[in-house]
Amino acid sequence: MLHDDHDTIDGDVFVFPRHLALSTAVGDPGLDPLHDLGWDLHHDDLGNTCLTAPDGKVRRGYLPEGDDDGLWRINAYNDAFGPPTWGVCFNDSAPTELVTAFTTALAEAYQRGPDHYLARPLAGSADRDPFLAVDPLINRGWQFNRPDLSTFAITAPDGLATLEYTTGELDPSIELDTRDARWHLWVGTSSARPFWYATASIDAPAALLRAVTESVADPAPLPRWKDSTDSYVKDYAQLTPILPPRPPSPTPLDVRRATASRRPAALPAASVPRWSTTSRPALPGQRR
């Protein structure tokens, strides 16, 4: 994770573009925004982790020992005992920073109430239009295309990242458990074998999805360790060494202090005899 203080950058190279970074294999940053709200945290015997909102209407799973490669699964409910209203999934190779962007937005929406974290997309709405999720990508030069009659897609300038939006009717239960979802973000040369992917079902709030696309579109690179070749797409990503920070420029006071420390010590004043009115003249034969 990147911080303002260069000493705390967790990596020795920057990965660009950031969609060619992969998971850091550390789940805490993605869990922290919700855990910090006091959500209930528990683990199963396999090492999977679940966070549940106090009202039970949002559940967040971190599932390294799940049944498939869906490492992060987030579901929201109108009724805590009913079926999910919407679901989002990030697979086990998705960049951790994207997951954290989503959970940070979700934590903010949850604090504002169900009208925000359960806000269904609504075309033409100022804050719920599905286009809000696409806008950050367009602003970074991603291009629209139409791979088939039922799919709109927008692709990154390097051709290695695509966000797909499927039109028409979809089975909500299939959306939650497979990649056949309304929204499908994938990176690679083929959607069948992506480097990583994320999905979102039809009723996922546009504002939450926008947090993900803003993170994907961010031109800032992501830090990784060069030797951890499973944390970035080795054959495609551009790597730039992270240089140690330069020492700060000296202030005028620093310069004065340094100059003073190099100046030789002043010599003591020579002892010079002075005439005194109380001095007596020397007698003959005496030496002054």
Side-chain angles (χ1 to χ4, degrees):
M1 203 171 175
L2 182 59
H3 303 275
D4 291 336
D5 184 350
H6 285 254
D7 291 337
T8 62
I9 295 178
D10 190 9
D12 56 7
V13 292
F14 282 125
V15 176
F16 180 86
R18 59 168 41 205
H19 56 254
L20 294 179
L22 301 175
S23 174
T24 61
V26 178
D28 288 351
L31 294 168
D32 286 346
L34 303 176
H35 189 232
D36 290 345
L37 294 182
W39 289 25
D40 181 48
L41 174 68
H42 65 270
H43 308 269
D44 65 17
D45 295 337
L46 299 176
N48 297 312
T49 300
C50 184
L51 276 168
T52 304
D55 61 3
K57 291 187 177 181
V58 185
R59 300 166 196 168
R60 174 63 182 268
Y62 176 68
L63 312 170
E65 300 300 329
D67 296 331
D68 55 24
D69 65 347
L71 179 61
W72 302 90
R73 291 193 180 277
I74 307 97
N75 294 327
Y77 305 78
N78 274 312
D79 182 343
F81 301 99
T85 301
W86 60 258
V88 168
C89 173
F90 297 87
N91 85 322
D92 54 5
S93 295
T96 308
E97 291 84 353
L98 269 64
V99 181
T100 304
F102 181 86
T103 53
T104 299
L106 176 58
E108 294 173 355
Y110 183 81
Q111 290 178 292
R112 297 173 67 186
D115 287 344
H116 295 274
Y117 69 83
L118 294 176
R120 298 180 60 183
L122 179 63
S125 170
D127 56 357
R128 294 166 56 186
D129 195 307
F131 190 79
L132 291 171
V134 179
D135 189 48
L137 305 178
I138 295 175
N139 292 338
R140 291 296 177 186
W142 290 44
Q143 297 296 315
F144 269 114
N145 58 75
R146 192 80 184 267
D148 55 64
L149 293 178
S150 64
T151 307
F152 289 96
I154 183 167
T155 302
D158 65 359
L160 293 175
T162 299
L163 176 64
E164 295 178 341
Y165 179 86
T166 301
T167 62
E169 296 295 327
L170 293 174
D171 184 336
S173 62
I174 292 178
E175 282 193 275
L176 296 174
D177 297 327
T178 73
R179 290 170 59 194
D180 294 326
R182 182 70 70 191
W183 298 91
H184 182 203
L185 174 62
W186 58 274
V187 172
T189 57
S190 168
S191 62
R193 300 186 65 182
F195 301 140
W196 63 265
Y197 71 84
T199 62
S201 68
I202 184 171
D203 285 333
L208 301 185
L209 300 181
R210 182 183 175 92
V212 176
T213 55
E214 283 181 338
S215 183
V216 172
D218 191 333
L222 294 177
R224 294 293 187 267
W225 296 100
K226 185 176 182 180
D227 290 342
S228 298
T229 54
D230 57 351
S231 68
Y232 58 90
V233 184
K234 183 178 179 182
D235 295 332
Y236 295 90
Q238 301 175 39
L239 304 183
T240 303
I242 297 176
L243 302 177
R246 295 179 180 178
S249 300
T251 66
L253 179 58
D254 293 332
V255 173
R256 289 198 298 271
R257 287 173 174 169
T259 302
S261 67
R262 292 194 298 269
R263 187 180 299 149
L267 297 176
S271 178
V272 179
R274 295 181 180 274
W275 175 259
S276 172
T277 56
T278 60
S279 301
R280 293 178 300 174
L283 298 175
Q286 288 184 329
R287 303 174 64 184
R288 276 187 151 176

